[in-house]
Amino acid sequence: MTKTLITAAAATLALAASALTPAAAQPTGAKNVVLVHGGFVDGSGWQGVYNLLKKDGYNVTIVQNPTTSLADDVAVTKRAIAEQDGPVVLVGHSYGGVVVSEAGTDEKVKAVVYIAAFAPDKGESVSSLIANPPAGAPVPPILPPVDGFLFLDKGKFAASFAADVDADVASFMADSQVPWGVEALAGAVTDPAWKSKPSYYLVASDDRMIPPAAQRMMAERAGATVTETAGSHAVYVSKPEAVAAIIEQAATAK
């Protein structure tokens, strides 16, 4: 066999081997993930999840929604979706679940993922979903509104929102709270995305903001693929591996 033929054969074998090698580190479905935060916080809490998804080859966008009104937050989220170059997995934490329920009907959205989140039906809002808490359920330490915005009691923030987060990080989260608009809580969903898109739900079983029983009810109603993990309401901060895993499950599902 001549040198030219040997070189050609080697190239052919290399090409065949590369075709047979599993692309485990690369997304096989939707490569774009859009993350939407909830009330009282901003998008920086997604950093651990972001790092894991980026390591696995995903294009990750973090929405800095202002949490002023549902309409404003949906508009910001839809702009982020529009910037993507292909199918999107849309992820919401807490109130962010309301935002992704409304924005997730966008044709680019492949699946919607709820992380310890509200998953409202048509006409429902955060306000309506929390109106009648079950007996014995923890009461979030929300202070009376000031100029139409809400905060959590800083002294009770860690226990209610971030009990399993590093104490220094939880303290910073309490002191860097983002005002949550009362108008946003009242924003009602018109056409929930989970009725037309595959949905996934991560239940945080130690949540003291949204009772785990309520999370399970909303997940079941949505027909979601459910994963449950021990974690506080800030499970996206404390358990980024579990959160990234369910997002990747949604991204790679056929």
Side-chain angles (χ1 to χ4, degrees):
M1 185 179 290
T2 67
K3 182 177 181 180
T4 301
L5 288 176
I6 292 173
T7 301
T12 301
L13 288 171
L15 182 62
S18 66
L20 293 173
T21 300
Q26 295 297 319
T28 56
K31 68 175 183 178
N32 302 302
V33 177
V34 174
L35 304 173
V36 182
H37 66 80
F40 305 121
V41 295
D42 66 10
S44 62
W46 288 113
Q47 185 174 3
V49 175
Y50 169 91
N51 289 340
L52 291 169
L53 293 174
K54 290 289 287 186
K55 182 180 178 181
D56 287 346
Y58 290 89
N59 174 44
V60 186
T61 298
I62 298 173
V63 178
Q64 292 287 13
N65 48 306
T67 62
T68 49
S69 72
L70 180 58
D72 288 346
D73 298 332
V74 168
V76 174
T77 301
K78 284 190 171 183
R79 286 198 292 272
I81 295 170
E83 292 172 358
Q84 310 307 312
D85 62 358
V88 172
V89 174
L90 186 60
V91 185
H93 169 254
S94 192
Y95 160 71
V98 182
V99 178
V100 304
S101 292
E102 185 73 4
T105 55
D106 187 286
E107 62 181 11
K108 282 189 175 181
V109 175
K110 165 190 170 70
V112 181
V113 181
Y114 296 90
I115 307 298
F118 293 103
D121 202 344
K122 181 177 180 179
E124 291 182 340
S125 63
V126 171
S127 294
S128 67
L129 287 169
I130 66 174
N132 297 297
V139 178
I142 301 174
L143 299 172
V146 176
D147 296 330
F149 290 92
L150 300 169
F151 288 93
L152 288 178
D153 184 328
K154 290 183 181 181
K156 300 177 181 178
F157 184 97
S160 294
F161 197 103
D164 58 351
V165 174
D166 176 84
D168 288 339
V169 174
S171 179
F172 177 80
M173 292 171 69
D175 289 335
S176 63
Q177 288 183 64
V178 178
W180 190 10
V182 172
E183 187 179 343
L185 275 74
V189 168
T190 60
D191 181 19
W194 52 260
K195 288 193 173 181
S196 58
K197 305 292 177 77
S199 61
Y200 296 76
Y201 199 110
L202 179 66
V203 174
S205 61
D206 301 320
D207 198 326
R208 297 184 65 81
M209 293 290 293
I210 303 177
Q215 294 183 36
R216 297 182 190 108
M217 179 280 290
M218 290 185 286
E220 181 178 1
R221 181 177 66 176
T225 298
V226 181
T227 299
E228 186 159 336
T229 187
S232 71
H233 192 59
V235 66
Y236 68 112
V237 178
S238 62
K239 298 286 184 68
E241 296 86 358
V243 174
I246 194 170
I247 293 171
E248 295 194 23
Q249 181 183 2
T252 56
K254 295 182 180 180

